[in-house]
C-alpha cells in the first residue's frame, strides 16, 4: 500500500516556505457566517419540496458557496496567505501573475548584467551608467507590477466566480481544502522543528543549570575560605598597637584585599545562583512550550487527517450533488417537453376538429347556395338574351339603312359575323327569350 495512506505522516523534507499568520477577526467572522445558516423550516421544505423549490434551494446553495469563497479569499489576506497558493486560478488569472514574475526576474538579470560590466572609461563612454539607471528603473516598475499582480488576479477571480455555477464553486472549495491540507502539514513540520530545537534547548539549559550549581558550590567553598582569612586579618589588625606604624598599614591593606576578594566571590556566587535559577526556569518554560506545541501539532494532525479524508470523500459527494442537479434539470426539461407535447397534441386536435367542422359547414353552405346560384344565373341568361335580341333588332335596321343609302346588302356580312341559323329572331318587344341560343345556354352541363 502507498505511503500516502498515512494521513498523519509528517516529513520535514517536504516543508515549503513558511507563511506568517496574523490572527485577526477572520475566524470569528467566518464562524458567524456559518452560524447564520441554521434554518428551522428546513424539514418542512423537504417534506413539501417540488422541482421548483429545488431550483431555489440550489440557488441558495450557490449563493452560500459564493459568500463562503469570498470570505475565504478575504481570510487569506488577513492571515497572510498568498492568494495564488490558496485559489484555483484559471489560465488568464495565473498568466497575470506569471507574466509579472517573469518580467521581474528579467529585470533583475538585466540590472545584474549592467552592473557586472567593468567600470572603465570605455564602457562608461558606451553608456554603462545610463544602462544601469535604466535597468534600475525597469526593476522598480517590474516590482510594482508584480506587487499589483496578485490583486489584479484576485479581482479577475472574484469577477469570474460571481457568475460561476455550483460545480465551479464546489471545485474551488475543494481546492482550498486541499491547499489547507498542505498548509496544515507545513505547520506541523514547522512546529516539530521548533519542538526539536526546544528539546535541544532543554538539554543545553539543564547542562548550564548543573554547571551553574557546580560553579556556585565552588564559589561558596572559596568564599568560606576567604571569610576565614578575612576574620584572621581583621583580628591581626586589631592587635597592632601603633596605628601609625608600617605594620598597621600592611595589616590594613591585607584586610582590604581580602574584603575585595570576598566581595568578588559573593558577586560571583549571586551570578551563578541567578544563572542556575534562570536555566532551571527556562527548562520548565521550554518543557511547557513543548507540551503546548505537541498538543497543537496533535490537533493539527487530527484536523489535517479528517480534512484530507473528508475532502477525498467530499469530492465524490460533490460529484453526486452536481449530477443530481443536472438530473433535476433534465427531469424538468423532460417535464417541459411532455407538457409542450400534450399542449401541441391538444392544439393539433383542436385544429383538425375545426377543419372537419369548417369543411362540413362549407359543404352545407355550398349545397344551400346552389338554388340561389341557379336563380342568379337564370337572371343573367335572361338579361343576356334580352340584350342580344335588342342588338340583333338594331342590326336589321342598320342593314336596311345601308341597303337603302349605299345599295349594299349587309345581310351576309352580319350572318357571317354572328353565325346565325335560319330561324333568326325577329323584332319582339315582349322582352321574352328568343327561340335559339338562350334556351340552349341554360341547359349546359355545368359539371361536365
Amino acid at each position: 500500500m502507498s505511503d500516502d495512506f498515512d494521513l498523519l505522516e509528517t516529513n520535514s523534507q517536504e516543508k515549503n516556505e513558511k507563511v506568517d499568520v496574523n490572527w485577526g477577526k477572520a475566524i470569528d467572522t467566518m464562524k458567524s457566517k456559518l452560524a447564520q445558516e441554521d434554518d428551522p423550516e428546513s424539514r418542512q421544505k423537504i417534506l413539501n419540496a417540488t422541482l421548483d423549490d429545488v431550483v431555489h434551494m440550489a440557488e441558495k446553495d450557490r449563493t452560500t458557496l459564493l459568500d463562503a469563497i469570498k470570505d475565504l479569499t478575504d481570510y487569506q489576506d488577513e492571515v497572510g496567505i498568498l492568494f495564488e497558493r490558496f485559489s484555483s486560478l484559471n489560465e488568464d488569472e495565473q498568466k497575470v501573475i506569471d507574466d509579472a514574475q517573469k518580467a521581474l526576474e528579467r529585470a533583475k538579470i538585466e540590472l545584474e548584467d549592467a552592473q557586472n560590466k567593468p567600470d572603465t572609461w570605455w564602457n562608461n563612454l558606451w553608456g554603462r551608467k545610463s544602462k544601469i539607471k535604466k535597468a534600475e528603473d525597469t526593476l522598480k516598475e517590474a516590482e510594482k507590477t508584480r506587487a499589483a499582480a496578485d490583486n489584479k488576479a484576485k479581482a479577475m477571480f472574484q469577477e469570474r466566480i460571481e457568475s460561476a455555477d455550483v460545480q465551479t464553486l464546489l471545485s474551488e472549495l475543494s481546492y482550498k481544502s486541499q491547499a489547507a491540507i498542505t498548509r496544515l502539514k507545513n505547520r506541523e513540520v514547522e512546529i516539530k522543528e521548533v519542538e526539536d530545537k526546544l528539546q535541544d534547548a532543554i538539554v543545553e539549559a539543564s547542562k548550564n543549570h548543573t554547571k551553574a550549581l557546580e560553579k556556585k558550590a565552588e564559589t561558596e567553598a572559596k568564599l568560606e575560605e576567604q571569610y576565614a582569612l578575612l576574620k584572621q586579618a581583621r583580628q591581626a589588625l586589631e592587635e597592632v598597637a601603633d596605628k601609625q606604624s608600617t605594620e598597621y598599614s600592611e595589616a590594613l591593606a591585607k584586610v582590604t584585599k581580602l574584603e575585595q576578594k570576598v566581595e568578588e566571590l559573593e558577586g560571583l556566587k549571586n551570578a551563578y545562583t541567578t544563572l542556575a535559577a534562570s536555566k532551571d526556569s527556562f527548562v520548565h518554560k521550554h518543557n511547557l512550550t513543548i507540551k503546548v506545541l505537541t498538543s497543537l501539532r496533535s490537533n493539527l494532525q487530527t484536523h489535517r487527517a479528517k480534512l484530507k479524508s473528508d475532502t477525498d470523500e467530499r469530492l465524490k459527494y460533490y460529484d453526486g450533488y452536481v449530477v443530481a442537479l443536472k438530473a433535476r434539470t433534465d427531469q424538468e426539461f423532460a417535464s417541459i417537453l411532455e407538457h409542450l407535447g400534450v399542449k401541441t397534441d391538444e392544439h393539433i386536435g383542436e385544429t383538425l376538429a375545426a377543419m372537419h367542422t369548417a369543411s362540413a359547414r362549407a359543404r352545407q353552405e355550398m349545397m344551400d347556395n346552389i338554388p340561389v346560384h341557379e336563380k342568379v344565373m337564370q337572371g343573367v341568361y335572361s338579361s343576356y338574351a334580352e340584350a342580344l335580341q335588342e342588338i340583333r333588332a338594331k342590326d336589321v335596321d342598320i342593314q336596311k339603312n345601308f341597303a337603302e343609302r349605299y345599295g349594299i346588302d349587309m345581310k351576309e356580312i352580319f350572318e357571317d359575323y354572328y353565325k346565325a341559323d335560319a330561324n333568326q329572331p325577329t323584332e319582339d318587344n315582349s322582352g321574352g327569350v328568343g327561340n335559339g341560343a338562350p334556351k340552349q345556354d341554360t341547359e349546359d352541363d355545368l359539371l361536365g
Side-chain angles (χ1 to χ4, degrees), residues 285-297:
K285 290 177 182 177
H286 291 338
N287 186 53
L288 176 60
T289 305
I290 288 175
K291 289 180 179 179
V292 172
L293 290 177
T294 303
S295 175
L296 289 173
R297 182 163 56 87

Side-chain angles (χ1 to χ4, degrees), residues 219-285:
T219 303
E220 287 176 341
K222 292 179 181 179
L223 192 58
E224 288 297 326
E225 181 181 344
Q226 293 301 315
Y227 275 140
L229 293 175
L230 179 59
K231 184 177 180 181
Q232 293 175 3
R234 284 175 176 172
Q235 186 176 357
L237 179 63
E238 291 176 359
E239 293 176 352
V240 176
D242 187 1
K243 305 300 183 187
Q244 302 297 325
S245 64
T246 304
E247 181 182 1
Y248 183 82
S249 299
E250 290 176 354
L252 181 60
K254 184 177 182 181
V255 169
T256 302
K257 185 175 181 181
L258 286 171
E259 285 177 344
Q260 184 180 7
K261 185 67 174 178
V262 167
E263 187 68 26
E264 289 177 355
L265 289 173
E266 284 182 347
L268 198 56
K269 173 190 172 183
N270 291 334
Y272 284 130
T273 301
T274 303
L275 183 60
S278 175
K279 295 303 179 183
D280 183 60
S281 173
F282 273 106
V283 166
H284 293 294
K285 290 177 182 177

Side-chain angles (χ1 to χ4, degrees), residues 83 93 96-97 145 147-158:
F83 170 70
E93 294 157 358
V96 171
I97 297 174
T145 303
D150 287 348
N151 289 334
K152 184 177 180 181
K154 179 181 176 181
M156 294 171 64
F157 168 81
Q158 293 283 35

